[in-house]
Coordinates of all heavy atoms in Angstrom, one line a residue:
G202 N -13.6 4.8 -7.1 CA -12.4 4.6 -7.8 C -12.3 5.3 -9.1 O -11.2 5.7 -9.5
R203 N -13.4 5.4 -9.8 CA -13.4 6.1 -11.1 C -13.1 7.6 -10.9 O -12.8 8.3 -11.9 CB -14.7 5.9 -11.8 CG -14.9 4.4 -12.3 CD -16.1 4.3 -13.2 NE -16.3 2.9 -13.5 CZ -17.1 2.0 -12.8 NH1 -17.7 2.5 -11.8 NH2 -17.2 0.8 -13.2
E204 N -13.3 8.1 -9.7 CA -13.1 9.6 -9.5 C -11.9 9.9 -8.7 O -11.4 11.0 -8.7 CB -14.3 10.1 -8.7 CG -15.7 10.0 -9.4 CD -15.7 10.7 -10.7 OE1 -15.1 11.8 -10.8 OE2 -16.3 10.3 -11.7
H205 N -11.3 8.9 -8.0 CA -10.1 9.2 -7.2 C -8.8 9.3 -8.0 O -8.6 8.5 -8.9 CB -10.0 8.2 -6.1 CG -9.0 8.6 -5.0 ND1 -7.7 8.4 -5.1 CD2 -9.2 9.3 -3.8 CE1 -7.1 8.9 -4.0 NE2 -8.0 9.4 -3.2
Q206 N -7.9 10.2 -7.6 CA -6.7 10.4 -8.3 C -5.8 9.2 -8.4 O -5.0 9.1 -9.4 CB -5.9 11.6 -7.7 CG -5.2 11.2 -6.4 CD -4.4 12.3 -5.9 OE1 -4.9 13.2 -5.2 NE2 -3.1 12.3 -6.2
L207 N -5.9 8.3 -7.5 CA -5.0 7.1 -7.6 C -5.4 6.2 -8.7 O -4.5 5.5 -9.2 CB -5.0 6.4 -6.2 CG -4.0 5.2 -6.1 CD1 -2.6 5.9 -5.9 CD2 -4.3 4.3 -4.9
T208 N -6.7 6.1 -9.0 CA -7.1 5.1 -10.0 C -7.9 5.6 -11.2 O -8.1 4.9 -12.1 CB -8.0 4.1 -9.2 OG1 -9.0 4.8 -8.4 CG2 -7.2 3.2 -8.3
K209 N -8.4 6.9 -11.1 CA -9.3 7.4 -12.2 C -8.6 7.3 -13.6 O -7.4 7.4 -13.7 CB -9.7 8.8 -11.9 CG -8.6 9.8 -12.0 CD -9.1 11.2 -11.7 CE -10.2 11.7 -12.7 NZ -10.7 13.1 -12.4
G210 N -9.5 6.9 -14.5 CA -9.0 6.8 -15.9 C -8.5 5.4 -16.3 O -8.2 5.2 -17.5
K211 N -8.3 4.5 -15.3 CA -7.8 3.2 -15.6 C -8.8 2.2 -15.9 O -8.6 1.1 -16.5 CB -6.9 2.7 -14.4 CG -5.6 3.5 -14.3 CD -4.8 3.2 -15.6 CE -3.4 4.0 -15.5 NZ -2.6 3.7 -16.7
D212 N -10.1 2.5 -15.5 CA -11.2 1.6 -15.8 C -10.9 0.2 -15.4 O -10.5 -0.1 -14.2 CB -11.6 1.7 -17.3 CG -12.1 3.1 -17.7 OD1 -12.8 3.7 -16.8 OD2 -11.7 3.5 -18.8
D213 N -11.0 -0.8 -16.3 CA -10.8 -2.2 -15.9 C -9.4 -2.6 -16.3 O -8.9 -2.3 -17.4 CB -11.8 -3.1 -16.5 CG -13.2 -2.7 -16.2 OD1 -13.4 -2.1 -15.2 OD2 -14.1 -3.1 -17.0
F214 N -8.7 -3.4 -15.5 CA -7.3 -3.8 -15.8 C -7.1 -5.1 -15.1 O -8.0 -5.6 -14.3 CB -6.3 -2.8 -15.4 CG -6.3 -2.4 -14.0 CD1 -5.5 -3.0 -13.1 CD2 -7.2 -1.4 -13.5 CE1 -5.5 -2.7 -11.7 CE2 -7.2 -1.1 -12.2 CZ -6.4 -1.7 -11.3
S215 N -5.9 -5.7 -15.2 CA -5.6 -6.9 -14.4 C -4.4 -6.6 -13.5 O -3.5 -5.9 -13.9 CB -5.2 -8.0 -15.4 OG -6.4 -8.5 -16.1
G216 N -4.4 -7.2 -12.3 CA -3.3 -7.1 -11.4 C -2.7 -8.5 -11.0 O -3.5 -9.5 -11.0
Y217 N -1.4 -8.5 -10.8 CA -0.8 -9.8 -10.5 C -0.9 -10.1 -9.0 O -0.4 -9.4 -8.1 CB 0.7 -9.7 -10.8 CG 1.4 -11.0 -10.5 CD1 1.2 -12.1 -11.3 CD2 2.3 -11.1 -9.5 CE1 1.8 -13.4 -11.0 CE2 3.0 -12.3 -9.2 CZ 2.7 -13.4 -10.0 OH 3.3 -14.6 -9.7
S218 N -1.7 -11.2 -8.7 CA -2.0 -11.6 -7.4 C -1.1 -12.7 -6.9 O -0.8 -13.6 -7.7 CB -3.4 -12.0 -7.2 OG -4.3 -11.0 -7.6
L219 N -0.6 -12.7 -5.7 CA 0.2 -13.7 -5.1 C 0.0 -13.6 -3.6 O 0.9 -13.1 -2.9 CB 1.7 -13.5 -5.5 CG 2.6 -14.7 -5.2 CD1 2.3 -15.9 -6.0 CD2 4.1 -14.2 -5.3
H220 N -1.1 -14.2 -3.1 CA -1.3 -14.1 -1.7 C -2.2 -15.3 -1.2 O -3.0 -15.8 -2.0 CB -2.0 -12.8 -1.3 CG -3.2 -12.5 -2.0 ND1 -3.2 -11.6 -3.1 CD2 -4.5 -12.9 -1.9 CE1 -4.5 -11.5 -3.6 NE2 -5.3 -12.3 -2.9
Q221 N -2.1 -15.6 0.1 CA -3.0 -16.6 0.6 C -4.0 -16.0 1.7 O -4.8 -16.8 2.2 CB -2.2 -17.7 1.2 CG -1.3 -17.3 2.4 CD -0.6 -18.5 3.0 OE1 -1.2 -19.6 3.1 NE2 0.7 -18.4 3.4
Y222 N -3.8 -14.7 1.9 CA -4.7 -14.1 2.9 C -5.2 -12.7 2.3 O -4.6 -12.1 1.4 CB -4.0 -13.8 4.2 CG -3.5 -15.0 5.0 CD1 -2.2 -15.3 5.0 CD2 -4.4 -15.8 5.7 CE1 -1.7 -16.4 5.6 CE2 -3.9 -16.9 6.4 CZ -2.6 -17.2 6.4 OH -2.1 -18.3 7.1
T223 N -6.2 -12.2 2.9 CA -6.6 -10.8 2.8 C -7.1 -10.4 4.1 O -7.0 -11.1 5.1 CB -7.7 -10.6 1.7 OG1 -7.9 -9.2 1.5 CG2 -9.0 -11.2 2.1
A224 N -7.6 -9.2 4.2 CA -8.2 -8.7 5.5 C -9.5 -8.0 5.2 O -9.7 -7.3 4.2 CB -7.2 -7.7 6.2
A225 N -10.5 -8.3 6.1 CA -11.8 -7.7 5.9 C -11.7 -6.2 6.0 O -11.1 -5.6 6.9 CB -12.7 -8.2 7.0
R226 N -12.4 -5.6 5.0 CA -12.5 -4.1 5.0 C -13.6 -3.7 6.0 O -14.7 -4.1 5.9 CB -12.8 -3.6 3.6 CG -13.0 -2.1 3.5 CD -13.2 -1.7 2.0 NE -14.4 -2.3 1.4 CZ -15.6 -1.9 1.5 NH1 -15.9 -0.8 2.3 NH2 -16.6 -2.6 0.9
I227 N -13.2 -2.8 6.9 CA -14.2 -2.2 7.8 C -14.2 -0.7 7.7 O -13.3 -0.1 7.2 CB -13.9 -2.7 9.3 CG1 -12.5 -2.2 9.7 CG2 -14.0 -4.2 9.4 CD1 -12.2 -2.3 11.2
H228 N -15.2 -0.1 8.3 CA -15.2 1.4 8.4 C -14.0 1.8 9.2 O -13.7 1.2 10.2 CB -16.5 1.9 9.1 CG -16.6 3.4 9.2 ND1 -17.0 4.2 8.1 CD2 -16.3 4.2 10.2 CE1 -16.9 5.4 8.5 NE2 -16.6 5.5 9.8
P229 N -13.3 2.9 8.7 CA -13.6 3.8 7.6 C -12.9 3.5 6.3 O -12.7 4.5 5.5 CB -13.1 5.1 8.2 CG -11.9 4.8 9.0 CD -12.2 3.4 9.5
W230 N -12.6 2.3 6.0 CA -12.0 1.9 4.7 C -13.1 1.8 3.7 O -14.1 1.3 4.0 CB -11.2 0.6 4.8 CG -9.9 0.7 5.7 CD1 -9.8 0.5 7.0 CD2 -8.7 1.1 5.2 NE1 -8.5 0.7 7.4 CE2 -7.8 1.1 6.3 CE3 -8.1 1.5 4.0 CZ2 -6.4 1.4 6.2 CZ3 -6.8 1.8 3.9 CH2 -5.9 1.7 5.0
I231 N -12.8 2.3 2.5 CA -13.7 2.1 1.4 C -13.0 1.5 0.2 O -11.7 1.6 0.1 CB -14.4 3.5 1.0 CG1 -13.3 4.5 0.6 CG2 -15.2 4.0 2.1 CD1 -13.9 5.8 0.1
S232 N -13.7 1.0 -0.8 CA -13.1 0.3 -1.9 C -13.0 1.2 -3.1 O -13.9 1.9 -3.5 CB -14.0 -0.9 -2.3 OG -13.5 -1.6 -3.4
L233 N -11.8 1.2 -3.7 CA -11.6 1.9 -5.0 C -11.6 0.9 -6.2 O -11.9 1.3 -7.3 CB -10.2 2.6 -5.0 CG -10.0 3.7 -4.0 CD1 -8.6 4.3 -4.1 CD2 -11.1 4.8 -4.1
A234 N -11.3 -0.4 -5.9 CA -11.3 -1.4 -7.0 C -11.5 -2.7 -6.4 O -11.1 -3.0 -5.3 CB -10.0 -1.3 -7.8
E235 N -12.1 -3.6 -7.2 CA -12.4 -4.9 -6.8 C -12.2 -6.0 -7.9 O -12.2 -5.6 -9.0 CB -13.9 -5.0 -6.3 CG -14.3 -4.0 -5.2 CD -15.7 -3.9 -4.9 OE1 -16.5 -4.5 -5.7 OE2 -16.1 -3.2 -3.9

Side-chain angles (χ1 to χ4, degrees):
R203 293 187 183 94
E204 299 299 324
H205 193 272
Q206 71 176 86
L207 189 71
T208 48
K209 68 181 300 183
K211 287 300 179 179
D212 298 320
D213 304 337
F214 59 94
S215 292
Y217 180 69
S218 298
L219 189 68
H220 55 260
Q221 60 175 322
Y222 298 103
T223 189
R226 176 177 59 84
I227 61 170
H228 180 79
W230 291 91
I231 58 177
S232 177
L233 297 181
E235 301 173 351

